[in-house]
Every structure is written in C-alpha cells, then in structure tokens.
Amino acid sequence: MTQTTVHANANICQHLHSAAQSMPTKLAVAVQQSKNGKLTYQEIDFKTLHQQSDIIAKGLLQYGISRGKKAVLMVTPSIEFFSLTFGLFKAGIIPILVDPGMGIKNLKQCFAESQPDVFIGIPKAHIARRILGWGKGSVKQVINVGGSGLQRWLTNATHLETIIEIGSRNTHIHDMAMLENDDMAAILFTSGSTGTPKGVVYSHGMFEAQISALKNDYGIKPGERDLATFPLFSLFGPALGMASIVPDMDASKPITANPANLFAAIEQYQCSNMFVNPALLERLGQAGEQTQHKLSSIQRVISAGAPATISAIKRFSKMLNPNVQVLNSYGATESLPVSMIGSDALFNTSDLTDQGKGICVGKPISSVEISIIAITDDPIENWDSITPLAANHIGEIVVKGPMVSQSYYRRMQATQYAKINDINVYRHRMGDVGYLDDDGQLWMCGRKGHIVDAKRGEQRLKRYFTIPCERVFNTHPQVKRSALVGVDVAGHTVPVICIELHKDLVCSNANVLYQELTKLAEQHPHTQGINRFLIHPDFPVDVRHNAKIFREKLAVWAQAKWRE
C-alpha cells in the first residue's frame, strides 16, 4: 500500500545538508549540562553536525551494518545522539526509538517484536541489555556511546570512537541513501499508556510531511532556536534549520525537571520556540508564577501529548509576551500533528468544555482530513463502506494525510483494527471519540476504550464518555480531577466517578460532597444517571505527561472498593 507522494526520493538528512550549505557556522545543537551547581553547554554547528554524521554513516557501513538493518538507539540527548541519529538515516539504517520510561517489561516486548540487528546505547542500556536479555537472538552488533573505565568494559561492545575512526579513514564523500517516500525510515514505539506498546512504522514521506506542517502550519523558520524537551521533536530542529537547545532534564519524566535549568537555557540562547507537554507546562508555570519570571524571547509554545488544563495554560502564559500563543496540538505517534488550536481560541471554548461539550482541539492542519464514524470495535476493511457522521454527532475519530502511519511493525492484527483501506492509502483510527462542530473544529471526548455503557444485564441503557462527564465534576471546587469507570453491581454495569481532591483541601464530609456532585450530574443530560462516587488518594497517571489517567487501574480499584 503506497503512501501519498511528497518527494520522489527522500531522506530527512537532505534538510541537514541544505542547512550545512546555507548556514554552515550557525548553531545546530546545544546541550546543557549541570554539574556542581554550574551550567555548561556543548555546541555544534550545522556544517560540523553534517560532517560528523557523514563520518558515522560511513563508519557504520564499513563496520558491516548494511542499509536496511535495524538498530536500537538508547542514547541520552547529547551531541552524539544527534550525530548518530542523522548518521543512521544517511546510511539507510533504520533506528528503533523507544521511550525508556515505558518500563522494563514493555521494553523487552518492544525488542522481541522489532528484532533489532544492532544495539546502540549508553553503558547503562548495555548492562541492562546483557542482564535482561534485550534483543537476544537477533542483535549481532553492539555499539557503546560514552561512559568510562569499568562501565565501558561491562558493555562488551564496540565503542563509538572506533566507528568514527573507521569512517574518518574513508576520505570519499558519503552518498546519502536516497529512498522512496513509503520506505521505512524508523520504528517508534508508543508509550503503551493504553495497552501494550506497538511499533509505529515511520516512512521518509511521514517525516517530510511533519517538517512541512511545522513550517507551514506552525510557522517555524530557519534561524530560530528551540528549547527541545522531547528527543524526537528535537531532531526536527536541524531539519528545519532551527537550533535545538537541549536542557539538562530527564525527558521520560518531565515532571522532575528543574525549571531553573530550562529558564537558563532559554535565556542563554534566546529561544524563540519551545515544545512542552502538559506536565512540564504545569511545572514551569508554577515556578514562573513564584519568581515572576518572564520568557521574553519566546514567540511560540507547542504543547502536545495530552490536553493541558486551561488553568495551567493561563498560568504559564503570564510568562509570555502579549499575543504569544500556546499552540495545543492533537495527534498521536501514529499521526502527528492532526489539528491545532491557539490558547486564545481555546480560552473561548472553556465554558463549553466545563458544560461537558468535550475539549476543542481546533481545526485540522493543512493536508489532514478528519472524519467521524459510528463507534465500533470491529475492523473496517474499506473506506467506501463507511458513511461519516454529520456535524455534532459523537463518534470515532479517523484521520487521513501524508503524516499518517500506514502500519504497525509486525503487528498485523493491530494494523487490521487501526487502519482502513482508502484506495491507495490507509486512514488511521485514532482510538479516540469526538465530533466536528459546524465550523469544522474537532472536539475530543475521550478514548474509545474508556467509554462506559450503563447496562442492565446485556441491555445498554445509556452511553457515557469520559471527557464530557469528567469536566462537569471537575468544576466542583474540591475536585482536582475525576475519572469515569464502569463497575459491576449485581450483574449490571453502572457508571462510577472516581474523585481526586485538591491536596490542600480536606473532605470533612464525603456524603455531602457526593450529594453536591449528584446535583451537578442532574444538571446535564450526558451525566444524568451518575450517582456513585469514590474518593481516590492519588490517581495513577503516566510518567511522561502526568495527565493520562490509567482508568483501567482505577476500574479495578473501584470494583474492589464496591465489594468491600
């Protein structure tokens, strides 16, 4: 199945090559390091990054890692990370990128599915590989990056310096691997926050489409500087002619970041752009409020990964110059970005969100088509068998566009359930539900798998959607957040709202709170019938976004509480 053509031949590194020619001495990457309370920065310009990645590409190929091989890349954000990643792309070697925050069990599953030929990592990753058997049976070559002494010895791996030395001995200009748009460029494993992680196959055409969106829809221009807090997004910087400024933080756990480090990096390089997820947006906003900090150089803020709260965006926006927008992006690893809405427009929809209309995630970006279809758990083979729903009807969100992935790696069943054949491309079922309003804006109503159908036996009485229901209860002053789950009561499925209270508030009388929440439910047709509530001390959430609630875990907890 072929993807929509963007270029006849493609490689993301073509953009790096262009930047190396047009702005050779301009900053490409700066990596912040914090030691003993002092901040230092490693820097590399576009010409040097291009040359170093060329040398690494030649070294990898001469070392015997041929084009089309798959290489796990577990390297912390660093100059070496950028040089290696672009070197792999130039050589036509397929990087496998995984989120180290997804847990040991999921990591092992990722490597078992992807069957990597090569394992490239820091000493810590190699030691874990040897102890836990990551890639056992498929990995033939191992390359270590960084470390010293005992650490390097324990990796039992060839060191990156050796690869660079091999590549340096070849004085010929490296010919970048030119591939077709639908050729596999990388495998990206999703976080698995709603299930087992799946490897998303990225083509060169997908990368090109994402670069085009960042240029045309987000307005990013060559010469900008970006505070890069997410490793994958940071790779787009050099491809856009934009410097990536990498702060000293754990990208897999942004909630632990030191705001002072990030503010210092922005000030040092006068960053114009920054990418933040909701957890980091919240943390930086709180820190900025306490110190009255201003981000005077920032012209654009991009937030993605999960919906950020209105209060968090407003708090963060106090640090920005007037008219600077926080651009909230909707999408997923399988298709990003899909739609976008600026913070000013989002604020205008907040009252409707609190009434349970869902979260407005804006209009589709150029080249993306959004459709809403009837909700079903069955696979859908062909798009021509589908009649999309009319405006203002909640259904399953389906997207089509050049940045939409066409398959999961070696997961035929998952691909079958997530993709719909539309002549010469596949549309992607986002796994979310929502609707398009009369103006063509998309409103998100939650995950399809989190829908609660109230049932009497097998008879469905009413359908409840997470975001429309939860946002109503979140308006109560004592409620920090809420989560809709289904509980079995005497053979019937009933909706239950789990409540997490604000930390500084103590609920002196739970029954009074429950009565007030029941009255709230009765005021809206989509929450009527909800009259069961449980207070939970601290919701289980994903470590990266600190916003994606693990409702599956809450459902198990709520069921156990109901039986007590």
Side-chain angles (χ1 to χ4, degrees), residues 13 22 33 124 192 262 280 283 304 325 348 394 398:
C13 294
S22 61
Q33 295 174 319
K124 184 178 177 181
L262 278 69
L280 193 55
R283 183 162 177 78
Q325 296 284 295
N348 292 333
I394 297 177
V398 178

Side-chain angles (χ1 to χ4, degrees), residues 477-479 501-507:
Q478 286 185 270
V479 175
L501 302 175
H502 287 288
K503 299 300 181 188
D504 56 345
L505 294 176
V506 177
C507 181

Side-chain angles (χ1 to χ4, degrees), residues 9-51:
N9 291 298
N11 190 311
I12 190 174
C13 294
Q14 290 181 95
H15 301 283
L16 175 60
H17 178 258
S18 297
Q21 290 184 318
S22 61
M23 52 178 78
T25 60
K26 293 288 187 182
L27 181 69
V29 178
V31 178
Q32 183 188 65
Q33 295 174 319
S34 176
K35 190 173 183 180
N36 300 325
K38 289 188 175 182
L39 295 175
T40 58
Y41 297 87
Q42 288 185 313
E43 298 181 348
I44 189 170
D45 60 34
F46 283 103
K47 181 181 178 180
T48 309
L49 178 58
H50 179 49
Q51 290 172 338

